[in-house]
Short mmCIF file of all heavy atoms in Angstrom, two decimals:
data_model
loop_
_atom_site.label_atom_id
_atom_site.label_comp_id
_atom_site.label_asym_id
_atom_site.label_seq_id
_atom_site.Cartn_x
_atom_site.Cartn_y
_atom_site.Cartn_z
N LEU A 492 227.03 45.28 -157.90
CA LEU A 492 226.02 44.89 -158.89
C LEU A 492 226.17 45.70 -160.17
O LEU A 492 226.00 45.17 -161.28
CB LEU A 492 224.63 45.07 -158.29
CG LEU A 492 223.45 44.53 -159.09
CD1 LEU A 492 223.61 43.03 -159.37
CD2 LEU A 492 222.15 44.78 -158.34
N ILE A 493 226.47 46.99 -160.03
CA ILE A 493 226.71 47.82 -161.21
C ILE A 493 227.88 47.24 -162.01
O ILE A 493 227.82 47.13 -163.24
CB ILE A 493 226.99 49.28 -160.81
CG1 ILE A 493 225.74 49.91 -160.19
CG2 ILE A 493 227.43 50.09 -162.03
CD1 ILE A 493 226.01 51.24 -159.51
N ARG A 494 228.95 46.87 -161.32
CA ARG A 494 230.10 46.29 -161.99
C ARG A 494 229.72 44.98 -162.68
O ARG A 494 230.13 44.72 -163.82
CB ARG A 494 231.22 46.05 -160.97
CG ARG A 494 232.39 45.22 -161.47
CD ARG A 494 233.02 45.78 -162.73
NE ARG A 494 233.60 47.09 -162.49
CZ ARG A 494 234.14 47.83 -163.46
NH1 ARG A 494 234.12 47.40 -164.72
NH2 ARG A 494 234.66 49.01 -163.17
N ALA A 495 228.94 44.13 -162.00
CA ALA A 495 228.53 42.86 -162.60
C ALA A 495 227.68 43.09 -163.85
O ALA A 495 227.83 42.39 -164.86
CB ALA A 495 227.76 42.03 -161.57
N CYS A 496 226.79 44.07 -163.80
CA CYS A 496 225.96 44.39 -164.97
C CYS A 496 226.82 44.94 -166.10
O CYS A 496 226.57 44.65 -167.29
CB CYS A 496 224.87 45.38 -164.59
SG CYS A 496 223.56 44.69 -163.55
N LEU A 497 227.81 45.74 -165.76
CA LEU A 497 228.71 46.27 -166.79
C LEU A 497 229.48 45.13 -167.45
O LEU A 497 229.58 45.06 -168.68
CB LEU A 497 229.68 47.28 -166.17
CG LEU A 497 230.54 48.07 -167.14
CD1 LEU A 497 229.69 49.04 -167.95
CD2 LEU A 497 231.62 48.85 -166.39
N ASP A 498 230.00 44.21 -166.63
CA ASP A 498 230.72 43.06 -167.18
C ASP A 498 229.80 42.18 -168.02
O ASP A 498 230.24 41.57 -169.00
CB ASP A 498 231.34 42.23 -166.04
CG ASP A 498 232.44 42.99 -165.31
OD1 ASP A 498 232.97 43.97 -165.87
OD2 ASP A 498 232.75 42.60 -164.17
N GLY A 499 228.51 42.12 -167.64
CA GLY A 499 227.55 41.31 -168.38
C GLY A 499 226.89 42.05 -169.53
O GLY A 499 225.95 41.52 -170.15
N GLU A 500 227.34 43.26 -169.81
CA GLU A 500 226.84 44.10 -170.90
C GLU A 500 225.35 44.38 -170.77
O GLU A 500 224.62 44.48 -171.77
CB GLU A 500 227.15 43.46 -172.26
CG GLU A 500 228.65 43.30 -172.51
CD GLU A 500 228.98 42.79 -173.89
OE1 GLU A 500 228.03 42.45 -174.65
OE2 GLU A 500 230.18 42.71 -174.23
N LEU A 501 224.89 44.52 -169.54
CA LEU A 501 223.51 44.94 -169.29
C LEU A 501 223.51 46.46 -169.15
O LEU A 501 223.44 47.02 -168.06
CB LEU A 501 222.98 44.26 -168.02
CG LEU A 501 222.91 42.73 -168.05
CD1 LEU A 501 222.41 42.19 -166.72
CD2 LEU A 501 222.00 42.26 -169.18
N TRP A 502 223.59 47.14 -170.29
CA TRP A 502 223.84 48.58 -170.30
C TRP A 502 222.70 49.38 -169.65
O TRP A 502 222.96 50.32 -168.91
CB TRP A 502 224.04 49.06 -171.73
CG TRP A 502 225.00 48.25 -172.54
CD1 TRP A 502 224.77 47.63 -173.72
CD2 TRP A 502 226.38 47.97 -172.22
NE1 TRP A 502 225.89 46.98 -174.18
CE2 TRP A 502 226.90 47.18 -173.27
CE3 TRP A 502 227.22 48.29 -171.16
CZ2 TRP A 502 228.22 46.71 -173.29
CZ3 TRP A 502 228.53 47.83 -171.18
CH2 TRP A 502 229.01 47.06 -172.22
N GLN A 503 221.47 49.00 -169.93
CA GLN A 503 220.34 49.74 -169.36
C GLN A 503 220.30 49.58 -167.85
O GLN A 503 219.99 50.53 -167.11
CB GLN A 503 219.03 49.26 -169.98
CG GLN A 503 217.80 50.04 -169.55
CD GLN A 503 217.79 51.48 -170.07
OE1 GLN A 503 218.65 51.87 -170.86
NE2 GLN A 503 216.84 52.27 -169.61
N GLU A 504 220.61 48.38 -167.37
CA GLU A 504 220.64 48.16 -165.93
C GLU A 504 221.72 49.01 -165.27
O GLU A 504 221.52 49.53 -164.16
CB GLU A 504 220.86 46.68 -165.63
CG GLU A 504 219.62 45.81 -165.78
CD GLU A 504 219.27 45.50 -167.23
OE1 GLU A 504 220.07 45.87 -168.12
OE2 GLU A 504 218.22 44.88 -167.49
N VAL A 505 222.86 49.15 -165.93
CA VAL A 505 223.92 50.01 -165.39
C VAL A 505 223.42 51.44 -165.25
O VAL A 505 223.56 52.07 -164.20
CB VAL A 505 225.17 49.97 -166.30
CG1 VAL A 505 226.18 51.04 -165.86
CG2 VAL A 505 225.82 48.60 -166.26
N LYS A 506 222.79 51.94 -166.31
CA LYS A 506 222.28 53.31 -166.30
C LYS A 506 221.27 53.52 -165.18
O LYS A 506 221.34 54.50 -164.42
CB LYS A 506 221.65 53.64 -167.66
CG LYS A 506 220.98 55.00 -167.73
CD LYS A 506 220.38 55.24 -169.11
CE LYS A 506 219.66 56.58 -169.17
NZ LYS A 506 219.10 56.85 -170.52
N LEU A 507 220.31 52.60 -165.06
CA LEU A 507 219.25 52.78 -164.08
C LEU A 507 219.75 52.58 -162.65
O LEU A 507 219.30 53.26 -161.73
CB LEU A 507 218.11 51.80 -164.38
CG LEU A 507 217.37 52.06 -165.70
CD1 LEU A 507 216.32 50.98 -165.94
CD2 LEU A 507 216.74 53.44 -165.71
N LEU A 508 220.67 51.65 -162.45
CA LEU A 508 221.23 51.45 -161.11
C LEU A 508 221.98 52.69 -160.64
O LEU A 508 221.83 53.14 -159.50
CB LEU A 508 222.16 50.24 -161.10
CG LEU A 508 221.51 48.87 -160.88
CD1 LEU A 508 222.49 47.76 -161.23
CD2 LEU A 508 221.04 48.73 -159.44
N VAL A 509 222.81 53.25 -161.51
CA VAL A 509 223.55 54.46 -161.14
C VAL A 509 222.58 55.60 -160.87
O VAL A 509 222.72 56.34 -159.88
CB VAL A 509 224.56 54.85 -162.24
CG1 VAL A 509 225.25 56.16 -161.88
CG2 VAL A 509 225.60 53.75 -162.41
N GLY A 510 221.58 55.74 -161.73
CA GLY A 510 220.59 56.80 -161.51
C GLY A 510 219.84 56.63 -160.20
O GLY A 510 219.48 57.61 -159.55
N ALA A 511 219.62 55.38 -159.79
CA ALA A 511 218.85 55.13 -158.57
C ALA A 511 219.65 55.37 -157.31
O ALA A 511 219.09 55.73 -156.27
CB ALA A 511 218.32 53.69 -158.58
N ILE A 512 220.97 55.21 -157.37
CA ILE A 512 221.78 55.29 -156.15
C ILE A 512 222.53 56.61 -156.03
O ILE A 512 222.96 56.99 -154.93
CB ILE A 512 222.78 54.12 -156.09
CG1 ILE A 512 223.38 54.00 -154.68
CG2 ILE A 512 223.87 54.26 -157.14
CD1 ILE A 512 224.30 52.81 -154.51
N GLN A 513 222.68 57.37 -157.12
CA GLN A 513 223.62 58.48 -157.04
C GLN A 513 223.09 59.66 -156.23
O GLN A 513 223.88 60.44 -155.70
CB GLN A 513 224.07 58.92 -158.42
CG GLN A 513 223.09 59.65 -159.26
CD GLN A 513 223.78 60.14 -160.53
OE1 GLN A 513 224.66 59.50 -161.08
NE2 GLN A 513 223.36 61.28 -161.00
N VAL A 514 221.78 59.81 -156.09
CA VAL A 514 221.28 60.86 -155.20
C VAL A 514 221.75 60.59 -153.78
O VAL A 514 222.24 61.47 -153.08
CB VAL A 514 219.75 60.93 -155.25
CG1 VAL A 514 219.22 61.93 -154.23
CG2 VAL A 514 219.28 61.30 -156.64
N TYR A 515 221.57 59.36 -153.36
CA TYR A 515 222.02 58.96 -152.02
C TYR A 515 223.52 59.16 -151.86
O TYR A 515 223.98 59.73 -150.86
CB TYR A 515 221.63 57.50 -151.79
CG TYR A 515 222.48 56.78 -150.78
CD1 TYR A 515 222.35 57.01 -149.41
CD2 TYR A 515 223.44 55.85 -151.20
CE1 TYR A 515 223.13 56.34 -148.49
CE2 TYR A 515 224.22 55.17 -150.28
CZ TYR A 515 224.07 55.42 -148.93
OH TYR A 515 224.84 54.75 -148.03
N LEU A 516 224.31 58.68 -152.82
CA LEU A 516 225.76 58.84 -152.73
C LEU A 516 226.13 60.32 -152.66
O LEU A 516 227.04 60.71 -151.92
CB LEU A 516 226.44 58.18 -153.93
CG LEU A 516 226.29 56.67 -154.06
CD1 LEU A 516 226.92 56.19 -155.36
CD2 LEU A 516 226.90 55.95 -152.87
N ASP A 517 225.41 61.12 -153.42
CA ASP A 517 225.67 62.55 -153.48
C ASP A 517 225.37 63.22 -152.14
O ASP A 517 226.22 63.87 -151.55
CB ASP A 517 224.80 63.14 -154.59
CG ASP A 517 225.16 64.56 -154.93
OD1 ASP A 517 226.26 64.99 -154.58
OD2 ASP A 517 224.32 65.24 -155.55
N ARG A 518 224.18 63.02 -151.66
CA ARG A 518 223.74 63.71 -150.46
C ARG A 518 224.43 63.20 -149.20
O ARG A 518 224.57 63.94 -148.23
CB ARG A 518 222.23 63.61 -150.33
CG ARG A 518 221.49 64.37 -151.41
CD ARG A 518 220.00 64.15 -151.34
NE ARG A 518 219.43 64.71 -150.11
CZ ARG A 518 219.14 66.00 -149.93
NH1 ARG A 518 219.39 66.86 -150.91
NH2 ARG A 518 218.62 66.42 -148.82
N GLN A 519 224.85 61.96 -149.21
CA GLN A 519 225.51 61.40 -148.05
C GLN A 519 227.03 61.52 -148.12
O GLN A 519 227.74 61.13 -147.20
CB GLN A 519 225.12 59.94 -147.87
CG GLN A 519 223.63 59.76 -147.59
CD GLN A 519 223.19 60.39 -146.28
OE1 GLN A 519 222.69 61.49 -146.27
NE2 GLN A 519 223.40 59.72 -145.19
N GLY A 520 227.54 62.07 -149.21
CA GLY A 520 228.96 62.37 -149.29
C GLY A 520 229.87 61.20 -149.64
O GLY A 520 231.06 61.23 -149.34
N TRP A 521 229.34 60.18 -150.30
CA TRP A 521 230.18 59.05 -150.71
C TRP A 521 230.79 59.35 -152.08
O TRP A 521 230.42 58.79 -153.10
CB TRP A 521 229.35 57.77 -150.75
CG TRP A 521 228.79 57.38 -149.43
CD1 TRP A 521 227.50 57.51 -149.00
CD2 TRP A 521 229.50 56.80 -148.33
NE1 TRP A 521 227.37 57.05 -147.72
CE2 TRP A 521 228.58 56.61 -147.28
CE3 TRP A 521 230.84 56.43 -148.12
CZ2 TRP A 521 228.94 56.05 -146.05
CZ3 TRP A 521 231.20 55.88 -146.90
CH2 TRP A 521 230.26 55.69 -145.88
N TRP A 522 231.77 60.25 -152.09
CA TRP A 522 232.26 60.78 -153.37
C TRP A 522 233.07 59.78 -154.17
O TRP A 522 232.97 59.72 -155.39
CB TRP A 522 233.09 62.04 -153.10
CG TRP A 522 232.30 63.05 -152.36
CD1 TRP A 522 232.54 63.55 -151.11
CD2 TRP A 522 231.09 63.66 -152.78
NE1 TRP A 522 231.56 64.43 -150.75
CE2 TRP A 522 230.66 64.51 -151.75
CE3 TRP A 522 230.32 63.57 -153.93
CZ2 TRP A 522 229.50 65.27 -151.84
CZ3 TRP A 522 229.16 64.32 -154.03
CH2 TRP A 522 228.77 65.16 -153.00
N THR A 523 233.89 58.99 -153.51
CA THR A 523 234.68 57.99 -154.24
C THR A 523 233.77 56.98 -154.91
O THR A 523 233.96 56.62 -156.09
CB THR A 523 235.64 57.28 -153.29
OG1 THR A 523 236.51 58.24 -152.68
CG2 THR A 523 236.48 56.25 -154.03
N GLU A 524 232.77 56.50 -154.18
CA GLU A 524 231.82 55.54 -154.74
C GLU A 524 231.01 56.17 -155.87
O GLU A 524 230.73 55.52 -156.88
CB GLU A 524 230.88 55.04 -153.64
CG GLU A 524 231.55 54.14 -152.62
CD GLU A 524 232.20 54.92 -151.49
OE1 GLU A 524 232.40 56.15 -151.64
OE2 GLU A 524 232.53 54.30 -150.46
N ARG A 525 230.65 57.42 -155.70
CA ARG A 525 229.87 58.10 -156.73
C ARG A 525 230.68 58.23 -158.02
O ARG A 525 230.16 58.03 -159.13
CB ARG A 525 229.44 59.48 -156.23
CG ARG A 525 228.38 60.15 -157.10
CD ARG A 525 227.94 61.46 -156.47
NE ARG A 525 226.69 61.93 -157.03
CZ ARG A 525 226.60 62.67 -158.13
NH1 ARG A 525 227.70 63.02 -158.78
NH2 ARG A 525 225.43 63.06 -158.59
N LEU A 526 231.94 58.57 -157.87
CA LEU A 526 232.81 58.70 -159.03
C LEU A 526 232.91 57.36 -159.77
O LEU A 526 232.80 57.30 -161.00
CB LEU A 526 234.20 59.16 -158.57
CG LEU A 526 235.13 59.75 -159.63
CD1 LEU A 526 234.56 61.02 -160.23
CD2 LEU A 526 236.51 60.01 -159.03
N ALA A 527 233.10 56.27 -159.00
CA ALA A 527 233.20 54.95 -159.63
C ALA A 527 231.90 54.58 -160.34
O ALA A 527 231.93 54.04 -161.46
CB ALA A 527 233.54 53.91 -158.56
N ALA A 528 230.77 54.87 -159.72
CA ALA A 528 229.48 54.53 -160.32
C ALA A 528 229.25 55.30 -161.61
O ALA A 528 228.84 54.72 -162.63
CB ALA A 528 228.35 54.82 -159.33
N VAL A 529 229.51 56.60 -161.61
CA VAL A 529 229.26 57.41 -162.80
C VAL A 529 230.22 57.03 -163.92
O VAL A 529 229.86 57.04 -165.10
CB VAL A 529 229.35 58.91 -162.47
CG1 VAL A 529 229.17 59.75 -163.72
CG2 VAL A 529 228.30 59.29 -161.44
N GLU A 530 231.45 56.68 -163.58
CA GLU A 530 232.40 56.23 -164.61
C GLU A 530 231.90 54.96 -165.29
O GLU A 530 232.05 54.79 -166.51
CB GLU A 530 233.78 56.01 -164.00
CG GLU A 530 234.51 57.31 -163.68
CD GLU A 530 235.85 57.09 -163.01
OE1 GLU A 530 236.05 56.00 -162.45
OE2 GLU A 530 236.69 58.01 -163.04
N MET A 531 231.29 54.05 -164.51
CA MET A 531 230.72 52.84 -165.12
C MET A 531 229.54 53.19 -166.02
O MET A 531 229.37 52.62 -167.10
CB MET A 531 230.32 51.85 -164.03
CG MET A 531 231.51 51.18 -163.36
SD MET A 531 231.08 49.83 -162.22
CE MET A 531 230.61 50.74 -160.75
N ARG A 532 228.74 54.15 -165.60
CA ARG A 532 227.61 54.57 -166.44
C ARG A 532 228.12 55.24 -167.72
O ARG A 532 227.54 55.05 -168.79
CB ARG A 532 226.71 55.52 -165.66
CG ARG A 532 225.54 56.04 -166.47
CD ARG A 532 224.53 56.76 -165.62
NE ARG A 532 223.49 57.38 -166.43
CZ ARG A 532 222.37 57.88 -165.95
NH1 ARG A 532 222.13 57.86 -164.65
NH2 ARG A 532 221.47 58.43 -166.75
N LEU A 533 229.20 56.00 -167.61
CA LEU A 533 229.78 56.63 -168.80
C LEU A 533 230.23 55.56 -169.80
O LEU A 533 230.01 55.69 -171.01
CB LEU A 533 230.95 57.52 -168.40
CG LEU A 533 231.72 58.17 -169.55
CD1 LEU A 533 230.83 59.12 -170.35
CD2 LEU A 533 232.95 58.93 -169.01
N THR A 534 230.84 54.50 -169.30
CA THR A 534 231.25 53.40 -170.17
C THR A 534 230.05 52.80 -170.88
O THR A 534 230.09 52.55 -172.10
CB THR A 534 231.97 52.31 -169.35
OG1 THR A 534 233.14 52.85 -168.73
CG2 THR A 534 232.36 51.14 -170.23
#
Side-chain angles (χ1 to χ4, degrees):
L492 188 58
I493 294 168
R494 170 55 64 184
C496 289
L497 189 69
D498 293 341
E500 299 185 354
L501 298 178
W502 311 123
Q503 185 68 6
E504 282 77 6
V505 171
K506 175 180 178 178
L507 294 176
L508 274 166
V509 176
I512 194 176
Q513 72 174 35
V514 175
Y515 155 75
L516 296 176
D517 191 18
R518 293 175 66 80
Q519 296 297 97
W521 297 105
W522 303 117
T523 301
E524 290 86 345
R525 193 175 196 274
L526 198 63
V529 177
E530 286 177 340
M531 287 188 279
R532 178 169 174 169
L533 176 62
T534 299

